[in-house]
Amino acid sequence: MPHVMTADHFDGQAGLRVSTIDFSHPWEWLRKGWADVRAAPGYSLTYGTGIVLISLLITTLMILGELTFLVPFLIAGFFLMAPMLSIGLYQMSAHLERGESLESCQALEAFKRNQGQLGMVSAFLFVTLQAWLVVSLVLVALLFDAPFPTLDNFLPVLFFSGEHLLLLIAITLVGAGFAAVVFGIMAITVPLLTDRHVDALTAMRTSVRAVTQNPGPMLLWAGLIVLIVGAGLATFYLGLFIAIPLVGHASWHAYRDLVPSS
């Protein structure tokens, strides 16, 4: 489906145009993302495999350290760090878009192109993840006398006892707030920084403009991301093998659609 831009809005400070889109565009991003996976399955799926292995390693360390109650919160935090984790996939899509070979395509190459600004974004995401985990630990402290409950003990008490409904609602709202803020700020920030020499604040502001200018389609896009990545997480991470490449490539096309070239 060809891109049809219904309107453009010019950000005078950043010199970037932000497109107005409709509800068909997120589906088109997924179609293009899947086309990229099919065009370079070895590279894309190897990248996805790496994410699966890292996720399994972190979970194993949590289990060995008797911190299994943190696993659900780390899974939620996965969505916060996903924009940076997909940087190599953005680079692959950029190479495919230009018809270039992927043999020399590396995530480090994309990071070096604007490493100072991407470093700032990484720091922002890491601080946000830390804040989320602090909130999680406060929750645990409110529920349990023992400092380190087991996952088997933690989940029934929080979700199934019916005794902590207000607290469960509160943590859900806080988590949704974290996710909404990060999505608004980071929806296209990282691919933008890998593609153009702009500063982090400009990229973040452009991302917020893209989301607020297209609230309905971007809400659909956020829901699709949660659905696809959530399905991957629900399969004990194995589904991330395909979910992360699909969403990562699609996110590149979302950026290219929302912030067209001059």
Side-chain angles (χ1 to χ4, degrees), residues 1-3 24-39 93 221 224 228 245-247 249-251 253-254:
M1 182 185 72
H3 168 60
S24 67
H25 286 251
W27 301 104
E28 180 68 5
W29 302 337
L30 285 178
R31 186 195 66 79
K32 291 180 177 179
W34 180 244
D36 285 354
V37 173
R38 294 184 62 185
S93 287
W221 177 230
L224 290 171
I228 295 169
L246 174 60
V247 171
H249 287 306
S251 295
H253 293 289

Side-chain angles (χ1 to χ4, degrees), residues 138-140 142-143 158 163-173:
V138 169
L139 169 66
V140 173
L142 290 173
L143 286 178
L158 180 59
E163 298 176 0
H164 305 286
L165 182 59
L166 291 179
L167 195 58
L168 180 58
I169 292 174
I171 196 64
T172 300
L173 291 175

Side-chain angles (χ1 to χ4, degrees), residues 105-165:
C105 179
Q106 298 179 358
L108 186 59
E109 175 190 349
F111 190 84
K112 284 183 176 179
R113 189 174 298 119
N114 206 352
Q115 59 184 341
Q117 303 306 312
L118 285 167
M120 290 177 59
V121 170
S122 300
F124 167 78
L125 290 174
F126 183 74
V127 169
T128 304
L129 177 62
Q130 293 297 308
W132 166 245
L133 291 178
V134 167
V135 171
S136 305
L137 289 172
V138 169
L139 169 66
V140 173
L142 290 173
L143 286 178
F144 296 92
D145 294 329
F148 301 118
T150 64
L151 188 62
D152 291 340
N153 186 31
F154 176 70
L155 291 180
V157 169
L158 180 59
F159 291 98
F160 305 121
S161 68
E163 298 176 0
H164 305 286
L165 182 59

Side-chain angles (χ1 to χ4, degrees), residues 199-229:
D199 61 87
L201 292 179
T202 295
M204 291 178 179
R205 186 173 64 247
T206 303
S207 180
V208 171
R209 285 172 53 82
V211 172
T212 56
Q213 189 172 301
N214 303 284
M218 294 306 287
L219 181 61
L220 171 61
W221 177 230
L224 290 171
I225 292 174
V226 171
L227 181 64
I228 295 169
V229 177

Side-chain angles (χ1 to χ4, degrees), residues 59 62-72 149-152 154:
T59 301
M62 292 296 101
I63 294 172
L64 293 176
E66 298 183 348
L67 298 173
T68 51
F69 70 94
L70 279 178
V71 171
T150 64
L151 188 62
D152 291 340
F154 176 70

